[in-house]
Amino acid sequence: GQQVMQIPQYQHVQEGEDFTTYCNSSTTLSNIQWYKQRPGGHPVFLIQLVKSGEVKKQKRLTFQFGEAKKNSSLHITATQTTDVGTYFCAPPQKLVFGQGTRLTINP
Amino acid sequence: DGGITQSPKYLFRKEGQNVTLSCEQNLNHDAMYWYRQDPGQGLRLIYYSQIVNDFQKGDIAEGYSVSREKKESFPLTVTSAQKNPTAFYLCASSLTETSTDTQYFGPGTRLTVL
């Protein structure tokens, strides 16, 4: 099935700094979904991107789908402690989620 | 109160014993999934079911078994054949198996084999 690679695997930032995680696929994706998992919790759906070049915003979070629909990114502006967690991208077939990017924040 | 539940939250078993993890949903979803998560790792699919009485193996099905006798329930049995069963197990469901459907996850079961 389709697999995606996420980078970086870990990211530690100072509160207030920006954060970006990237999701890359070797094949074209029909859509991509992003999930967030808080420490000790379960993944929760954030957003879905379907169109080439699509950009969606949720408050301080900006999600982007590449023009070729092979990559996606999640950018958080001015991180807050509530942003701590692991962010996963999920390819259409859900066979294997991206490894995730674990975000930790220094308050 | 709609949702997906897993029980128990923590489970301890001795090596060589089979153990069954429960997953129930009242969302009227057709598709259900079982994932395994190891510390600091992503989610790996064990089994999934698109409809009652049907299920398919995921990438790491060896040592596991499932059943889907009811739409609401998708229990996972971790057998003694699973070489390294200690992990966090997540159950999820979606309206259908269509790729654009959102997955809803249960709270998970942390299995420790002693």
Side-chain angles (χ1 to χ4, degrees), chain A residues 6-97:
Chain A
Q6 264 187 271
I7 53 171
Q9 191 172 351
Y10 302 97
Q11 184 78 59
H12 181 75
V13 301
Q14 288 290 126
E15 188 174 14
E17 290 182 340
D18 291 358
F19 159 77
T20 304
T21 175
Y22 301 89
C23 184
N24 301 307
S25 170
S26 59
T27 60
T28 302
L29 303 171
S30 59
N31 64 76
I32 195 156
Q33 295 181 348
W34 284 91
Y35 292 75
K36 176 184 178 181
Q37 184 178 21
R38 292 182 184 273
H42 58 276
V44 174
F45 174 78
L46 292 177
I47 209 156
Q48 176 169 258
L49 304 170
V50 178
K51 299 177 183 177
S52 168
E54 188 170 15
V55 177
K56 287 188 176 180
K57 293 189 176 184
Q58 289 180 350
K59 296 182 181 179
R60 294 177 294 103
L61 277 61
T62 302
F63 303 83
Q64 194 162 1
F65 204 9
E67 293 290 340
K69 300 181 73 173
K70 288 185 176 182
N71 52 69
S72 181
S73 65
L74 158 59
H75 179 82
I76 302 178
T77 304
T79 55
Q80 299 176 0
T81 54
T82 54
D83 296 325
V84 164
T86 301
Y87 294 85
F88 293 99
C89 61
Q93 291 179 316
K94 311 290 190 305
L95 295 182
V96 179
F97 278 53

Side-chain angles (χ1 to χ4, degrees), chain A residues 3 9-10 30-31 33 35 37 39-45 48 50 88 91-100 102, chain B residues 9 33 35 37 40-45 48 57-59 88 90 97-108 110:
Chain A
Q3 295 197 16
Q9 191 172 351
Y10 302 97
S30 59
N31 64 76
Q33 295 181 348
Y35 292 75
Q37 184 178 21
H42 58 276
V44 174
F45 174 78
Q48 176 169 258
V50 178
F88 293 99
Q93 291 179 316
K94 311 290 190 305
L95 295 182
V96 179
F97 278 53
Q99 191 174 13
R102 184 179 172 191
Chain B
K9 190 171 182 179
Y33 312 78
Y35 294 91
Q37 186 174 36
Q41 302 297 310
L43 307 177
R44 292 184 291 168
L45 184 67
Y48 67 102
K57 293 182 179 180
D59 278 357
F88 186 41
L90 286 158
E97 197 258 345
T98 304
S99 68
T100 52
D101 285 345
T102 301
Q103 284 192 315
Y104 295 84
F105 285 83
R110 294 192 182 275

